[in-house]
Amino acid sequence: MMARLLAALVAFALSVAAPAAAPFDYRLKPEKIADDTWVLIGSTEDITRGNGGNIVNTAFVVTKEGVVVIDSGPSRRYGEQMRAAIARVTDKPVVRVFNTHHHPDHFLGNQAYADVPIAALPATRAGERDDGGAFADNMYRMAGDWASGTEPQVAQQDVKPGRLTVGGHEFELIALEGHTAGDLAILDHRTGVLFAGDLVFLDRAPTTPHASVQRWLKSLDALAALGAKKTLPGHGPVHAGSAGIEQTRDWLKWLDQTLMQSAANGLDMAEVMRLPLPERFERMPLARSEFERSVTHLYGAYELRALDSVALPVLQQK
Amino acid sequence: MKKVIAALGLALALAGTVQAADADPLNSSRWPDLQREYLNDAPVAFDPRIEVLAPKVAEDSMNVPVTVRLKGLPDVKRVLVIADFNPIVKVLDFQPLLAQPGLSFRIKLQQASPIRALVQTGDGNWLAGGVWVDAAGGGCTAPSTGRSAPDWAQKLNQVQGRVWRDGQNQRVRLRIMHPMDTGLAPGIPAFFIEQLAIVDDKGDAMLKLETFEPLSENPVFSFDLPDTGAVALRVVGRDNNGNRIDAKVQP
């Protein structure tokens, strides 16, 4: 009886352990969205032990001179598997990597490209240096062993804004800000594809841990003026037209208004977090949790402006 | 011997029922100790009328917003707020007096923890409500950020405040400049506001509270009071170094 029970338990343990013991395969399948242009679309979830942090879009462009990679993903494993996926598409070597900004899901795969020049805006490089360690720890906390062995590898080169031609592709490197202090957008003039990084989200609520809403809105105007044929947002589906820009702008304006009004009405943070979402955002993935996070990131500044009437001290203190 | 065993069995069964009645809905291993330490093992009823609003995940472990909301609970004398797994458990001890028994504030969290409001009513009974907050943590052992500013000592205990009146009630929001050092960051002793009250123009307290180290730096509070018209409210208090807080908040 006891032996049987044990055997059953062992069998159960093995059956549970088997999928977890699989070699952490992100199952990356490059999708071709334009000439020479491939993307890896992540889920629109939060980072979990189930998805290993694959919640992000990355891309690569296969030029005559070699492959240009845009963002390296959330972990060392992702970077390695992305590089293997690239090798399944082309024999050409990876010649250059760009990090669009310093958030962990976009650059913690850099280790897989240690032999390739990695470039980012100066503010992005500074962010990778200052926050990278904490980001890697937190990725491990959220994604578990998917992230083991992941260390921040800081981009070695500054991006110089302007045109850069690689193997017949004329890339416009556009230095913007607002989602973070340094947001690189890349327009490929050859294909009309805009790699927008996290300045653009579509059907996934935008994140704001290092955001300046006003600067972000200005950057969206600059992106809209490009008139790109196709846009790869940092999170969400590839799309033609400006749906991502419009939706991100709509969210940010609503967020700004909501926080301003809440502060003017005297609400406290935890109360603001409970406010109803507008119908158009109710079913957007992560709308509630990103709104809660944004209240923590941003409300303090709105609140301080509303508390402008400094009370008069009636007693001088030593 | 059989009798003893039967008695033991009965005792165990009884203990089982008592425990079931008091079972902690937050299922925290700390709760029995905390109940002993802070409530002297008084029975506690977990009551859905006590709502603790806080984010599921602490995005910033130095500033976790908390609102205690008490709906339809009469005669509240005391609201004690604790965080089970914080190195310093007690957050604040609030006596609403004339104010509504709910309030809002922010705390530092060292790790994932329940945050609880223990509420004592006029008949001496204790009720409780609470919520788990997940956290990357470290909020209690980091030095306060304001200390690096050269003028922090000049701003100490300055109060910013604003009042929203609607004829019946007034909401008072306060921000008090204070590092609220926990004493857990190396070389920085505990330095925090200990007492706070809002008093009317005659000097009578409308609400008072004792505050402790886990409250966030430059703490922000929201209180709801009966509308007192155009009379300025006074905020008084002191920190554990004897520095006074004394400010008027103009309606």
Side-chain angles (χ1 to χ4, degrees):
Chain A
M1 177 63 196
M2 197 61 195
R4 263 220 221 147
L5 186 64
L6 268 178
L9 271 175
V10 168
F12 175 71
L14 283 175
S15 72
V16 169
F24 296 103
D25 186 351
Y26 285 106
R27 298 193 167 89
L28 299 179
K29 290 198 184 70
E31 229 178 277
K32 194 170 183 183
I33 61 159
D35 283 352
D36 307 333
T37 308
W38 303 76
V39 296
L40 298 162
I41 302 291
S43 77
T44 51
E45 303 165 336
D46 209 346
I47 298 165
T48 64
R49 277 154 204 256
N51 60 37
N54 183 13
I55 57 152
V56 62
N57 298 336
T58 61
F60 57 95
V61 181
V62 183
T63 79
K64 282 181 291 190
E65 283 169 25
V67 181
V68 174
V69 169
I70 297 162
D71 282 342
S72 61
S75 66
R76 175 186 191 140
R77 276 198 174 91
Y78 182 102
E80 288 166 355
Q81 291 174 27
M82 181 186 185
R83 209 161 172 182
I86 294 170
R88 290 197 293 274
V89 168
T90 177
D91 299 338
K92 295 212 164 64
V94 175
V95 291
R96 189 177 283 266
V97 176
F98 290 106
N99 294 153
T100 58
H101 63 293
H102 84 291
H103 282 164
D105 47 334
H106 295 261
F107 90 97
L108 284 177
N110 280 4
Q111 275 167 297
Y113 300 99
D115 56 330
V116 181
I118 304 176
L121 292 171
T124 301
R125 294 180 60 206
E128 290 178 353
R129 200 169 43 237
D130 296 345
D131 297 342
F135 283 164
D137 287 351
N138 202 43
M139 186 60 73
Y140 189 75
R141 189 176 77 88
M142 295 179 77
D145 277 338
W146 288 91
S148 61
T150 300
E151 304 278 349
Q153 165 109 21
V154 177
Q156 319 91 329
Q157 296 186 358
D158 279 346
V159 162
K160 283 200 201 77
R163 292 212 174 182
L164 173 80
T165 305
V166 184
H169 283 257
E170 234 185 310
F171 294 103
E172 193 78 39
L173 306 178
I174 310 160
L176 296 167
E177 57 179 344
H179 175 67
T180 67
D183 293 297
L184 175 67
I186 302 176
L187 177 68
D188 184 345
H189 286 290
R190 165 94 174 266
T191 58
V193 172
L194 171 64
F195 304 93
D198 279 5
L199 288 171
V200 177
F201 284 70
L202 181 59
D203 298 335
R204 194 279 192 206
T207 65
T208 59
H210 303 95
S212 152
V213 171
Q214 298 313 321
R215 288 182 190 144
W216 193 341
L217 286 169
K218 274 192 196 138
S219 291
L220 288 174
D221 291 342
L223 291 182
L226 295 173
K229 276 190 203 146
K230 265 187 186 173
T231 298
L232 176 71
H235 302 263
V238 176
H239 54 280
S242 55
I245 291 173
E246 300 307 329
Q247 199 188 62
T248 306
R249 185 190 280 138
D250 187 19
W251 173 276
L252 292 175
K253 284 192 167 169
W254 163 74
L255 188 62
D256 181 51
Q257 280 298 315
T258 304
L259 299 185
M260 195 152 50
Q261 269 166 22
S262 300
N265 293 337
L267 297 193
D268 211 301
M269 268 191 189
E271 295 170 320
V272 181
M273 289 175 176
R274 291 299 181 95
L275 291 177
L277 298 173
E279 208 181 322
R280 63 191 190 279
F281 296 140
E282 259 176 2
R283 273 183 292 279
M284 182 190 282
L286 301 179
R288 173 58 62 185
S289 58
E290 291 303 346
F291 176 58
E292 280 190 2
R293 292 179 72 206
S294 290
V295 172
T296 302
H297 303 146
L298 304 173
Y299 194 59
Y302 290 86
E303 186 178 68
L304 269 189
R305 265 177 266 146
L307 285 177
D308 49 6
S309 60
V310 177
L312 308 167
V314 295
L315 187 89
Q316 285 301 317
Q317 67 208 10
K318 292 264 161 7
Chain B
M1 189 61 193
K2 264 189 184 166
K3 262 197 196 161
V4 175
I5 289 171
L8 264 176
L10 184 65
L12 280 174
L14 279 176
T17 19
V18 170
Q19 218 166 21
D22 278 347
D24 172 20
L26 300 177
N27 203 16
S28 151
S29 58
R30 287 283 282 142
W31 173 244
D33 294 336
L34 298 175
Q35 188 176 8
R36 191 172 314 124
E37 189 173 344
Y38 293 103
L39 305 182
N40 207 14
D41 259 339
V44 177
F46 293 93
D47 193 306
R49 289 174 295 180
I50 302 171
E51 259 193 294
V52 177
L53 311 185
K56 280 192 199 74
V57 182
E59 182 64 15
D60 174 359
S61 293
M62 312 270 286
N63 283 289
V64 182
V66 181
T67 292
V68 178
R69 210 183 253 176
L70 306 177
K71 281 196 177 143
L73 202 60
D75 199 21
V76 171
K77 295 295 184 213
R78 210 176 142 193
V79 179
L80 177 62
V81 177
I82 58 173
D84 293 25
F85 289 98
N86 247 8
I88 300 164
V89 169
K90 226 197 250 190
V91 176
L92 58 83
D93 193 345
F94 175 47
Q95 291 180 56
L97 305 178
L98 299 177
Q100 287 177 31
L103 77 167
S104 300
F105 50 90
R106 271 154 230 174
I107 72 169
K108 300 177 285 236
L109 266 190
Q110 187 63 16
Q111 58 179 317
S113 174
I115 299 173
R116 300 176 192 270
L118 310 176
V119 175
Q120 192 172 36
T121 46
D123 52 16
N125 288 335
W126 285 98
L127 307 166
V131 68
W132 268 94
V133 176
D134 191 10
C140 292
T141 45
S144 54
T145 57
R147 288 235 185 209
S148 50
D151 60 343
W152 76 268
Q154 276 79 56
K155 290 189 173 161
L156 184 75
N157 286 347
Q158 279 189 5
V159 177
Q160 277 173 288
R162 188 163 157 187
V163 175
W164 286 262
R165 293 169 50 206
D166 70 1
Q168 279 194 307
N169 295 299
Q170 58 184 335
R171 163 153 290 199
V172 181
R173 303 204 67 212
L174 303 172
R175 179 176 186 248
I176 305 170
M177 301 302 286
H178 203 286
M180 297 301 288
D181 289 309
T182 57
L184 302 175
I188 304 173
F191 181 40
F192 58 98
I193 299 169
E194 280 186 324
Q195 284 181 1
L196 210 55
I198 293 182
V199 301
D200 63 18
D201 53 340
K202 294 181 203 70
D204 293 333
M206 300 179 76
L207 65 82
K208 48 185 183 180
L209 63 164
E210 285 177 53
T211 53
F212 300 93
E213 297 94 320
L215 278 175
S216 296
E217 180 177 358
N218 303 330
V220 178
F221 299 94
S222 301
F223 301 107
D224 295 301
L225 291 154
D227 195 339
T228 45
V231 182
L233 299 170
R234 225 172 121 200
V235 181
V236 296
R238 62 165 179 78
D239 66 26
N240 68 331
N241 280 12
N243 300 302
R244 300 272 158 200
I245 296 162
D246 195 337
K248 270 183 187 164
V249 180
Q250 302 292 348

